[in-house]
Amino acid sequence: MNLSKVFRVAGREFASTAMTKGFIIGALVMPAAIGALMPLIIVLTMSAQPPADTGTVYVLDRSADVTGTLSDRLAPENVEARWQERFEKVKDVTKRMLPSGQEGTLDQGIANAKSIIRYPNFRVIPAGSDTDIDELKEEMQAQVAAEGKARGDIETVLAIIEIDADATQKVNEDEGYGGFQVFLRPKLNDETIGEIRDGVKWSIRQRRYENAGINRTQVLEISEVSERDSQEITAEGEKKAASEFTNFIIPIVSLVLLLIASMTGGQYLLTTTVEEKSNRVVEVILSACSPMELMTGKILGQMFVGLSLLVVYSWLGIFALIYMERQDLVSLSTIVLIFVFFILAYFMFASLMAAIGSAVNEMREAQSLMTPVILLMMLPYFFFMPVIRAPNSMLSTVTSFIPPISPFIMIMRVASNDPPPVWQTGLVILVNAVAVVIFLWLAAKVFRVGLLMFGKPPNVRTLIKWIRMA
Amino acid sequence: MSQAVSMQGVRKTFGPKVAVEGIDLSIPEGAIYGFIGPNGAGKTTTIRMIMSILFPDRGELSVLGKKSAVESKDRIGYLPEERGIYKKMKVGSFLMHMGRLKGLDRSGLKPRVMEWLDRVDLADVHKKKCEELSKGMQQKVQFVASVLHDPDLIILDEPFSGLDPVNMRLLRSLIDEEHGRGKTVIFSTHVMHQAEQNCDHIVMIHHGKKVLDDSLDVIRKRFDPRALLVEPIEGTSRSHDVALVEGVAHVTAIDGALEVVLDQGVDPQRAMRSLLDSMPMNRVEIKRPTLEDIFIEIVSGGKRGADAEQLRAELFAETPEQEEGDS
């Protein structure tokens, strides 16, 4: 094999795929742009919030016990105070997650949120216990039908609350407490509805505590158990324990990175191969280099396409982790293994693509042969949950040794919080290396025969015949 | 003289179909050879085997003194019949790419590309994308791609198909020029008069077998006609009288003239004299056989008349460019 020809083919392959506007925009600029636009999108969705609801809430309190507490709870000044408190809490939590030196941005963000989020303004009107609820409902219905009342009008009936007679006092000791029901005007803000229901629940509970003679503050204090961040005592010393979230995120990101990089390269390989064949340029090229040189060059060229994607995306991921000061979540060995497994997975996938591309006359015919390959590539997704839950179970271990899905399963195990022993990783790499050689060898046979075959699109049986023939 | 290409007993099958059946061939260096035969005869398969794109099932083959073309690809220029081009690539970069693939150095490659583009009247297109060119222009670019690296052996599969007369003449003169520089040229065509115009040696292939392999002169002599073409002043109505002249076997009217086929062993010179004596003539000449005639005669086993005409129609009907596919 003439290496300079191989590299020449690889160079053209890479240039014609990766150095095009479409690729740079689609694969590199778009994700970056989406990332940059994310805050803008959030601001836009938030600013699209409807104005705050203002209006009347009727309370039909059959227990004649809750109205006072509820009126107080829903009073405008108390609603506002609770929202302010909520903002402060969000600010505290966020501050702990952000790296130091970002308080200015945080204050700005909270101020923005305060100006955007509108909490409702209620007027609570107690209805006499002998009021017919249907009358209230009819009033609300008439208002909704007339559409006359604007959102800002305090006369607008927002809700009717019906509280059961036994909501706060048991009538019969053997049975539970009664409850309540809310009738809402359509299209209210989520904040308004939440405020009303939580208000009723809170007030009913408050009355139950008081009637039972229990100190609510005391109950809250008793139920609150504080816990500091868990630590793992490792051989190297104490370190922050991985949370449910981090257990998940690193393996799935590694898997997706691997899949995207190897599938992108493979897909492009299929397209360019089919193109060369349907263009009939392939025979011109074959007069200058052998089919093996052509195939090797093309596979290498597209490998660099996938590799450049992998480098850019993994660099972005590492950057994000550094920004969140959680670079401890991935180890250098995981990153190195992502690249190793990429090469192995890509070569197997690319062999299949090269074989298919050389066998068909046009993209349309490739579809039927592609289906099994795509299904194969979907398999790692199905194994995601069981593998993450138990990275060293029998299922995880066995599937991680079966090419061509082996690299995808193995990267999840390696990136999990319970990585497999090093000898397994080494053995998996060895098994895959052998598989790569077999895949390439078979693909080369189909490639040699297929390239100059025009006419009836082949099926799998024909492909096997070609393998025997070559 | 050493051989540019030699084949002994080469056979190639595709499944049950025999594409090439035991071809022996030897093409000396510096020769210009024409492979002729109707569509599907096995020309392209033979050429692909010479190019080591296909490999024979049986038989010996050597190209430029090597066991196969694989070892001497850079010394061969090949214009396949199924020619393609990278549509999105610029003409200049495509030719540079092909040149580099053929082992040329980067230095001096660009001027060489420009010079060749100039020679085929395409000096101003090197920055255009290949897909922007007309079909004929693309074909010239492809021809340049096949000769750019100054190959010793040039193989052109149906080089003239799809070209207008002006470009056909241009291509013919370029081929002659390369031949004049001592390069070996092989080209195939199913349009036989093209081969007559360019080649000094003809190889005829039919149903995968070589049916003729000789220089054009020898072929012409061997298939020395027993046919004359006469045009009586009084017109073709005198055909009956012409048929009565001594030595005439039979007479057919063709395009306002009469084709006169002579009996075996009759000297054409004497027959011409007798014909001139029999009546006033506008024209009396020996009918030179075209390669097509010769081909028909060979494959029909010397049949004449209606049978031969039917065969001619079957084999050489100007069908739209047929795909030879894997034949």
Side-chain angles (χ1 to χ4, degrees), chain B residues 303-321:
Chain B
K303 268 184 275 178
R304 291 230 155 229
D307 283 350
E309 285 313 310
Q310 195 193 338
L311 192 64
R312 186 190 301 266
E314 274 169 23
L315 293 176
F316 299 105
E318 273 306 314
T319 42
E321 282 303 296

Side-chain angles (χ1 to χ4, degrees), chain A residues 5 276 280 283 287 452, chain B residues 48 53 74 78 82 86:
Chain A
K5 289 189 180 185
E276 275 167 9
R280 308 289 160 106
E283 201 173 344
S287 73
L452 292 173
Chain B
R48 282 179 175 170
I53 288 171
D74 294 351
Y78 176 45
E82 299 286 1
Y86 285 114

